[in-house]
Amino acid sequence: ASHQLRSPITAIRGYASLLIDGDFGQMPAEAKEPLERIEQSSKRMAMSIEDYLNVSRIESGNMKYNYSDFSLRNEVEKLTDDMRAEAIKKGLTLLFRTTDLQGQGMVHADIGKAMQIVQNLVNNAIKYTPEGSVSVYVRDDASKKKVFVDVVDTGVGIDADELEKVFVKFERARNANAVNAHGTGLGLFVAIKMAKAMDGDIIVHSDGQGKGSRFTVSLPLAA
């Protein structure tokens, strides 16, 4: 099922990208916007498919984790660099900082899933921040044996009575649709399940609508 769902979407994205880049010849100017919409829509569909597949794996107990020791600090910095262009396109500032980091931010976790979690949080911060900035901080706490990644934005914020709902499957904050109508309500559900499976967690804080949000993911410090 995974192969059957992914393959057509990959082909659509690939050919749309080739057409946009002019690999099949110069496209009429009026065709550029429809092609970009095809590419973006297929990208969202691919992400939705991955979310549904991950939910299926989690709920059936078939999610696999490949543990290793790696520098979460270095990986998060690279991810932030990669996502900066997307933030700039929206007129946002995307910053990376380390605070109270005693070591190299070494964790024991599944690197792919750890970065999927952080990417989800940064991507959400960009999507739900109409103006201002997104800041990503890495810190550690030797006494708690954890490394933390804080994703702080100046975006739409979340009301106090909805803070825990954002991690519930298919649930979204009331103001989410007004900013981004394409969310599935699965990304944060998958993210927190993965984090907890790796002996970590995700917590969220917001002072309310219009006052931004802070999502903090923790993962175990490497021994």
Side-chain angles (χ1 to χ4, degrees):
S2 173
H3 175 74
Q4 294 298 325
L5 289 168
R6 283 175 172 151
S7 294
I9 298 301
T10 301
I12 292 169
R13 288 185 64 189
Y15 279 110
S17 179
L18 290 171
L19 287 167
I20 292 168
D21 292 342
D23 287 46
F24 294 103
Q26 190 66 32
M27 298 298 296
E30 59 270 22
K32 185 177 180 182
E33 183 180 349
L35 285 170
E36 288 176 345
R37 290 191 179 188
I38 290 170
E39 185 182 33
Q40 289 299 312
S41 294
S42 59
K43 179 181 178 181
R44 287 196 296 268
M45 187 177 292
M47 292 172 67
S48 296
I49 289 169
E50 190 61 32
D51 282 341
Y52 281 109
L53 290 171
N54 281 328
V55 169
S56 176
R57 295 183 189 110
I58 288 167
E59 294 187 335
S60 65
N62 288 324
M63 183 67 83
K64 306 297 183 186
Y65 295 86
N66 299 311
Y67 290 91
S68 64
D69 293 348
F70 64 93
S71 173
L72 186 62
R73 179 228 176 273
N74 291 347
E75 295 300 323
V76 171
E77 183 176 21
K78 286 189 288 186
L79 175 68
T80 306
D81 288 343
D82 290 342
M83 299 185 74
R84 188 163 286 112
E86 185 178 346
I88 291 172
K89 192 183 297 184
K90 281 195 66 179
L92 304 175
T93 301
L94 178 57
L95 301 173
F96 172 83
R97 295 286 187 272
T98 57
T99 60
D100 302 321
L101 190 63
Q102 303 303 311
Q104 290 299 310
M106 297 294 294
V107 298
H108 183 70
D110 181 311
I111 187 171
K113 291 178 175 59
M115 298 320 300
Q116 183 178 334
I117 293 167
V118 177
Q119 182 175 13
N120 180 283
L121 298 182
V122 177
N123 187 52
N124 279 353
I126 293 171
K127 283 194 298 187
Y128 296 110
T129 302
E131 60 182 7
S133 64
V134 176
S135 300
V136 182
Y137 303 95
V138 179
R139 55 191 171 87
D140 59 17
D141 188 326
S143 64
K144 294 180 179 179
K145 297 183 179 179
K146 298 288 185 183
V147 179
F148 302 90
V149 179
D150 302 300
V151 180
V152 184
D153 65 62
T154 60
V156 297
I158 307 168
D159 285 335
D161 63 340
E162 294 196 297
L163 287 174
E164 293 307 315
K165 290 181 182 178
V166 299
F167 295 110
V168 177
K169 185 170 56 175
F170 299 121
E171 289 282 351
R172 304 180 74 202
R174 282 190 295 268
N175 58 349
N177 280 325
V179 181
N180 175 45
H182 302 292
T184 62
L186 292 176
L188 289 174
F189 169 80
V190 170
I192 196 168
K193 291 290 186 182
M194 286 181 173
K196 288 188 172 183
M198 294 186 289
D199 195 27
D201 201 0
I202 305 175
I203 59 173
V204 57
H205 172 81
S206 176
D207 290 326
Q209 288 199 38
K211 297 182 178 180
S213 304
R214 182 180 71 245
F215 283 82
T216 300
V217 56
S218 60
L219 290 170
L221 196 66

